[in-house]
Amino acid sequence: MTRGLSVVADGKSTDTDTTAASVPASHADLLERPVFAHLATVRPNGAPMSSVMWFAWDGTRLRMTHTKTRQKFANLAEDPRLALSIADPDDEYRSLEVRGVLESVEDDDADASFYKGLQHRYGRDYEVTDKDVRVVMTVRPTKFIATEDGGITATSKV
Amino acid sequence: MTRGLSVVADGKSTDTDTTAASVPASHADLLERPVFAHLATVRPNGAPMSSVMWFAWDGTRLRMTHTKTRQKFANLAEDPRLALSIADPDDEYRSLEVRGVLESVEDDDADASFYKGLQHRYGRDYEVTDKDVRVVMTVRPTKFIATEDGGITATSKV
């Protein structure tokens, strides 16, 4: 089942737009490598939360796995805007912020193939015990901000 | 000058409360060590942003350096609620989320002593060229969430 835009709250998204921002070339490796992302979402009461996530990158969209049962998912159903920050583990003074919007949410397949693929990308293969509530969240980047040594070195805005 | 509560927007904070949450002992090292924190704040339009920050920890409060001129500072003046997530660089499946509120903002001193101390903690000593706009942001933690291998292992709520 594709819920897609049904998760997007009225007036809080430009999700009818499908144009994605382009990542600055200097920092594209941070999306291509299996680096950890810190995902910021906004809770229904307006306060932020932040947590560490795996992600996949296909050149235009980020995808993450999640379950339908947890707070981050509820937050994004209420307000699909999010930000991810990703620091280079080899040089944490080099980082990339991705601002974006949750574009769609789909159930993972019966084998949790997306989740299994993410496990493989991050070098941790194990059994998926919650396949029935696993979803694939697709994020459309709206802006990238590349940072080195505390200063912004490149941005991208569509 | 202590601006303190003047940065706290009406009705968005319980900042008259001075009770801080206690960090779960299993994850206290992530505050004691010079690990990088990913700071989530909420922009005036309600969207989150996330960026990599240094911090200091005195056992009850986190402190960060910032300048008065940047977006994160403007966000927190509008809404003092924030979240930090901190992953163990030696095992990124072990992380700590700190939810809290910006309790006070004070100018750093003429020598930028707080900032210089942070530089030293993180092993990067260099000249401070923006001492006149450097501030010390003090964060009162309201909740800690400790995570290992994708699951919550401990929380703290006052």
Side-chain angles (χ1 to χ4, degrees), chain A residues 38 50 81 85 124 149, chain B residues 38 45 50 81 85 124 149:
Chain A
H38 291 245
S50 181
R81 295 175 298 182
S85 57
R124 283 216 169 186
D149 287 321
Chain B
H38 290 245
N45 69 3
S50 181
R81 296 174 297 181
S85 58
R124 281 216 167 187
D149 287 321

Side-chain angles (χ1 to χ4, degrees), chain A residues 113-133:
Chain A
S113 299
F114 174 75
Y115 188 15
K116 297 294 289 181
L118 259 193
Q119 290 179 348
H120 194 69
R121 167 170 155 92
Y122 283 85
R124 283 216 169 186
D125 295 296
Y126 52 85
E127 190 186 354
V128 179
T129 55
D130 53 4
K131 291 175 185 169
D132 54 323
V133 291

